Amino acid sequence: MALNIVLLVLASAALHPVWNLLVKKNPDPQLGFLFLTAVIALSALVHGLIAGADFTAVFSVLPFVGLSVCGQLLYGICLTATLKRGDLSAYYPIIRASPVFVVIVGVLLLGQTYSPILLLGIALAVAGAFLLLYRRGTRFLEDPRTLVLAVLAMSGTGIYSLSDARLMESIAPQVLVFVVDGLVFPIHAILWFRRRARGLVPAVKAGDFSLTYLLLPGIICYASYYLILLAYQFGGDVAAVTSIRQASIPISVALGGLFLREGAMLRRFFAAGLLALGIIVIALYG
């Protein structure tokens, strides 16, 4: 894989934990996620207008846009449901295993082939990510519904990743982000207002909110997403890109160890080394 593509994906991976942390710190994370989607769409619109992107080109690829929207909705809804039912540290490794989904779909449905060394690199990256987040004693089959939700969330990531890579052959990244997030936003808004009407949204004082938690996550997330789309536009393979993107996980773990004093650091360092080895293999042979 070309060095510029690897650097784009790693830069994106470094930004991902930052906006994620800001959203989690929001007094109302659901409202924070709603603002996240709106700010992403607005950022893409402004960026596209400045860059002179052709927004009308989206009409020629509407089926793939719809597929990307469906993938993002599937991911968002199932992720939320998984977190309500289960422990993030237990099920997040499954949710982040989208490279497995991408490889399976590529081989079975898209006629793609992967070299054994590239498959090894993907396997190492996924295994390292899993070990970083897996908590000893977890028994997934004790709660099959939550396990299914986690797998569906993982599939949603794989779906929109495959669709995004295809869309980058026809439209500008800014156009894709604006259209997809512009369509996803009203759906999230409806879900949030329904939760508020049913009394499921916690009461939060107006003074508890700040522009940092409402606006900054969306700007950072847009930058991260834009870098991934550039990687696809430059010819990055979806399976390889999604595997290298797993580099965001050790960054999240490092932040957790720094701010939350999480333990088991020896196992975490081993897992991070395994993931890094997978990334190196993908970068060299992908």
Side-chain angles (χ1 to χ4, degrees):
M1 181 180 291
L3 179 60
N4 63 329
I5 297 177
V6 175
L7 293 177
L8 285 172
V9 179
L10 290 177
S12 173
L15 292 174
H16 186 274
V18 179
W19 70 258
N20 199 8
L21 182 64
L22 289 173
V23 170
K24 288 181 180 179
K25 285 189 173 182
N26 193 301
D28 183 351
Q30 286 76 25
L31 182 61
F33 195 81
L34 184 61
F35 267 85
L36 177 81
T37 308
V39 172
I40 290 173
L42 289 175
S43 299
L45 176 61
V46 173
H47 187 189
L49 292 174
I50 294 175
D54 181 13
F55 285 87
T56 62
V58 73
F59 293 106
S60 63
V61 287
L62 286 179
F64 288 99
V65 171
L67 194 62
S68 186
V69 170
C70 290
Q72 294 231 20
L73 286 175
L74 180 64
Y75 167 74
I77 293 173
C78 291
L79 173 64
T80 303
T82 301
L83 297 184
K84 287 181 180 178
R85 296 177 57 91
D87 190 346
L88 174 63
S89 63
Y91 290 94
Y92 197 59
I94 297 175
I95 296 171
R96 289 303 303 270
S98 57
V100 176
F101 177 88
V102 171
V103 170
I104 292 174
V105 171
V107 172
L108 296 181
L109 300 180
L110 304 179
Q112 294 183 349
T113 57
Y114 298 96
S115 66
I117 189 66
L118 179 57
L119 292 175
L120 175 62
I122 293 173
L124 288 172
V126 173
F130 187 92
L131 290 175
L132 272 171
L133 295 171
Y134 176 72
R135 190 172 61 183
R136 183 176 299 175
T138 301
R139 297 180 180 179
F140 297 111
L141 296 181
E142 288 184 353
D143 188 357
R145 290 186 179 181
T146 305
L147 177 60
V148 170
L149 287 169
V151 171
L152 288 175
M154 178 267 289
S155 301
T157 303
I159 289 171
Y160 76 70
S161 296
L162 287 166
S163 180
D164 289 351
R166 171 62 180 80
L167 286 166
M168 285 303 92
E169 299 176 4
S170 306
I171 61 177
Q174 303 94 322
V175 176
L176 168 62
V177 178
F178 169 69
V179 173
V180 171
D181 282 271
L183 292 173
V184 169
F185 170 76
I187 299 175
H188 282 303
I190 292 172
L191 293 175
W192 185 83
F193 279 109
R194 286 186 62 185
R195 291 181 68 256
R196 183 178 183 183
R198 294 167 59 189
L200 299 178
V201 174
V204 180
K205 297 179 181 179
D208 292 336
F209 290 101
S210 69
L211 290 179
T212 300
Y213 294 137
L214 293 178
L215 301 181
L216 188 58
I219 297 173
I220 297 175
C221 184
Y222 171 68
S224 177
Y225 192 13
Y226 179 75
L227 292 174
I228 288 294
L229 295 178
L230 282 181
Y232 290 143
Q233 197 172 53
F234 292 156
D237 177 78
V238 183
V241 168
T242 53
S243 296
I244 295 176
R245 202 176 183 186
Q246 304 278 2
S248 65
I249 297 178
I251 297 174
S252 298
V253 170
L255 291 176
L258 181 63
F259 295 105
L260 304 178
R261 307 302 181 189
E262 297 176 345
M265 294 308 297
L266 182 61
R267 174 178 61 83
R268 290 168 183 260
F269 278 127
F270 169 77
L274 197 63
L275 188 148
L277 178 61
I279 290 175
I280 293 172
V281 171
I282 294 169
L284 293 177
Y285 300 100

